[in-house]
Amino acid sequence: MAYKATIGNRSYQFDDLRSLLARATPLRSGDQLAGVAAATAEERVAAQFALADLPLANFQNETVVPYESDEVTRLIIDTHNPEAFAPIRSLTVGEFRNWLLSDDATGERIAGLRDGLTPEMVAAVSKLMRIQDLILVAQKVRVVTRFRTTVGLPGRMSARLQPNHPTDDAAGIAAAILDGLLLGSGDAVIGINPVSDNVATTTKLLLLIDALRTRFNIPTQSCVLAHITTQLDALRAGAPIDLLFQSIAGTETANKSFGVSLSLLEEAHDAGQQLARGAQCADGSIGRNIMYFETGQGSALSANAHHGVDQQTLEVRAYAVARAFEPMLVNTVVGFIGPEYLYDSKQIIRAGLEDHFCGKLLGLPMGCDVCYTNHAEADQDDMDSLLTLLGVAGVNYIMGVPGADDVMLNYQSTSFHDALYIRQALGLRPAPEFEAWLASEGFERLSIEGRQPERLLGA
């Protein structure tokens, strides 16, 4: 189906929904690399006009990746809930944007639409929004998950403690974990990216975190971010698995490039649930969210698996995969892939806020790795800006990396001190279970000057 719009004396035609979504996307280098971006700013505005007039119901009749050849498309279509969609079925994309920004669109009402929204609908409405629109809507929505801590509650923001080491050295990792705990990070997860993706290393690192956690009764969860098959092998061998991790993407072929499928993720989810390692959380419920997913705009393009779809729409399709498994944590590693996909800080900041907004609308517990590579046109001041904007938008968690410099993955992220900054600036607190533990160890205030727990320092 073709879509048309006129700007001044010039008419524009977009051959299908895939083309319309791509041309309406704010400029980014990945879409230019893929050859799907609007050629001019005027063409982009024309596409946005046409997209604004498109009825949401049309998204049920046209797919951007064929149903017959893509299991992510089949998941999206087959799990769509017409009853949840009914309240907004008569709206256009532009009218949906206006409703989301209205006082009528409370967090509860937006959450009620979750199963009636497709990723393409959500991506479409985000393309019509300014930065302030993305923030205003996202901060209305809270998505709360539980394992040993409760993440996503209003007035709180968590941090993943990321103690990576270039040789998987246990002493170096333990020192980084201690550093993070003393500065109030780790309530989302203590998650290590291993250099060596094998069962022995994965098990060794899981045992290290678990021994520390149990010795000091720390309410947190562990994860070693090896491939999901490695984690499953470690689980079967008796390793203390808390959260199961996997990078995911928005097409079947992109997920195949990661070595995963929906059936494999389902197998991992079922195996993890059988361990029942979650604890009773502050509200009395037992934590059952066990999956941890990471995504990032450009992953499908880098795998030559984008099918001519713009990278932001494909990113949101990855959230449909995550949604199917009720994860504990989801985060976009927003600037990690590099300037080929998000060229500079302007594109990185926009992408991070888009991803957070779209994930929240689809019911996901969204975090963000506020990051960039050293060859991107960005610096730490830009990351401070994105971090602050995400904090206002109600992000569930960020990364805590020693010195904000990941010496194993060779990219720049956010530090333990950055997490303290945003908590202090916006009056945010860590997860309630973790906050209570910090207080019991001598932290009355979560600040850099706060008293450090002598029992941990002497360990």
Side-chain angles (χ1 to χ4, degrees):
M1 178 178 177
Y3 303 91
K4 298 179 181 180
T6 300
I7 301 293
N9 296 321
R10 183 167 183 180
S11 295
Y12 290 86
Q13 178 170 308
F14 309 97
D15 293 337
D16 51 27
L17 181 60
R18 178 176 59 183
S19 174
L20 177 63
L21 290 168
R23 303 301 192 274
T25 305
L27 181 66
R28 57 210 57 196
S29 53
D31 291 338
Q32 292 177 309
L33 180 64
V36 302
T40 65
E42 185 176 273
E43 184 185 19
R44 184 172 302 109
V45 170
Q48 290 172 342
F49 269 112
L51 186 61
D53 290 336
L54 181 66
L56 290 173
N58 283 34
F59 287 88
Q60 297 180 283
N61 304 319
E62 186 175 359
T63 61
V64 296
V65 183
Y67 180 94
E68 297 76 15
S69 59
D70 187 89
E71 68 174 2
V72 177
T73 300
R74 292 194 291 274
L75 173 69
I76 292 167
I77 298 300
D78 294 348
T79 59
H80 183 256
N81 185 333
E83 292 183 5
F85 180 54
I88 58 170
R89 181 179 178 82
S90 63
L91 301 183
T92 65
V93 176
E95 290 169 340
F96 183 40
R97 170 193 175 275
N98 293 342
W99 179 80
L100 287 170
L101 292 167
S102 73
D103 292 339
D104 289 337
T106 63
E108 293 75 14
R109 288 180 177 176
I110 295 172
L113 300 174
R114 165 190 159 163
D115 295 333
L117 295 172
T118 69
E120 291 83 0
M121 293 177 194
V122 173
V125 75
S126 74
K127 298 175 193 295
L128 305 182
M129 290 186 156
R130 293 169 55 185
I131 292 291
Q132 63 177 250
D133 300 335
L134 296 170
I135 293 171
L136 184 62
V137 176
Q139 62 86 29
K140 297 181 183 183
V141 182
R142 307 305 309 190
V143 182
V144 180
T145 54
R146 298 171 178 84
F147 191 77
R148 292 193 188 96
T149 59
T150 305
V151 175
L153 291 168
R156 298 183 184 268
M157 190 204 71
S158 297
R160 168 189 164 188
L161 203 170
Q162 184 171 310
N164 297 343
H165 192 279
T167 64
D168 290 332
D169 178 70
I173 289 170
I177 292 175
L178 177 61
D179 188 22
L181 291 171
L182 295 181
L183 291 170
S185 285
D187 54 330
V189 65
I190 300 176
I192 305 170
N193 297 90
V195 177
S196 303
D197 193 325
N198 57 60
V199 173
T201 298
T202 298
T203 301
K204 178 188 76 171
L205 297 178
L206 285 168
L207 288 169
L208 168 66
I209 305 173
D210 205 56
L212 180 65
R213 180 187 65 80
T214 54
R215 178 178 177 182
F216 295 107
N217 197 30
I218 306 169
T220 188
Q221 34 279 335
S222 63
C223 185
V224 173
L225 284 72
H227 191 269
I228 193 71
T229 53
T230 304
Q231 295 169 79
L232 277 172
D233 288 343
L235 182 154
R236 296 182 185 111
I241 296 277
D242 288 343
L243 305 187
L244 286 149
F245 165 82
Q246 183 56 49
S247 294
I248 55 173
T251 69
E252 179 178 345
T253 46
N255 283 322
K256 282 182 178 178
S257 76
F258 290 151
V260 298
S261 63
L262 296 180
S263 60
L264 177 59
L265 294 175
E266 184 175 4
E267 177 187 352
H269 181 263
D270 291 346
Q273 288 288 6
Q274 291 176 22
L275 296 178
R277 287 174 57 86
Q280 187 176 53
C281 295
D283 69 345
S285 63
I286 302 298
R288 298 286 293 172
N289 302 110
I290 62 165
M291 302 299 286
Y292 175 14
F293 295 117
E294 285 189 344
T295 66
Q297 290 192 27
S299 58
L301 175 58
S302 67
N304 195 29
H306 60 98
H307 301 276
V309 183
D310 70 272
Q311 65 183 37
Q312 192 254 341
T313 298
L314 291 179
E315 169 74 3
V316 188
R317 281 170 55 94
Y319 302 158
V321 177
R323 181 173 61 176
F325 300 99
E326 298 183 338
M328 175 71 183
L329 306 169
V330 179
N331 70 262
T332 166
V333 192
V334 64
F336 180 75
I337 303 182
E340 299 86 356
Y341 306 96
L342 295 169
Y343 177 72
D344 57 14
S345 60
K346 181 178 179 66
Q347 293 186 15
I348 292 171
I349 289 170
R350 168 86 196 186
L353 293 165
E354 285 173 348
D355 296 348
H356 178 249
F357 163 88
C358 292
K360 283 284 188 70
L361 256 64
L362 290 172
L364 291 180
M366 290 302 294
C368 183
D369 192 340
V370 179
C371 64
Y372 65 101
T373 57
N374 287 318
H375 61 313
E377 293 293 323
D379 59 27
Q380 211 66 34
D381 283 342
D382 299 315
M383 298 306 102
D384 286 350
S385 297
L386 177 54
L387 171 61
T388 304
L389 293 171
L390 284 166
V392 175
V395 72
N396 277 26
Y397 69 102
I398 61 167
M399 305 300 121
V401 178
D405 183 6
D406 193 306
V407 295
M408 193 280 277
L409 291 174
N410 292 311
Y411 79 116
Q412 309 304 309
S413 185
T414 46
S415 70
F416 308 134
H417 300 81
D418 293 330
L420 289 177
Y421 146 69
I422 198 65
R423 283 173 176 163
Q424 291 177 26
L426 299 179
L428 302 172
R429 297 152 61 192
E433 303 85 358
F434 196 77
E435 182 181 40
W437 176 80
L438 285 168
S440 74
E441 292 291 342
F443 278 114
E444 297 301 327
R445 293 179 61 226
L446 295 175
S447 65
I448 298 173
E449 296 80 19
R451 289 178 290 152
Q452 295 182 339
E454 296 177 0
R455 189 160 69 91
L456 280 176
L457 286 173

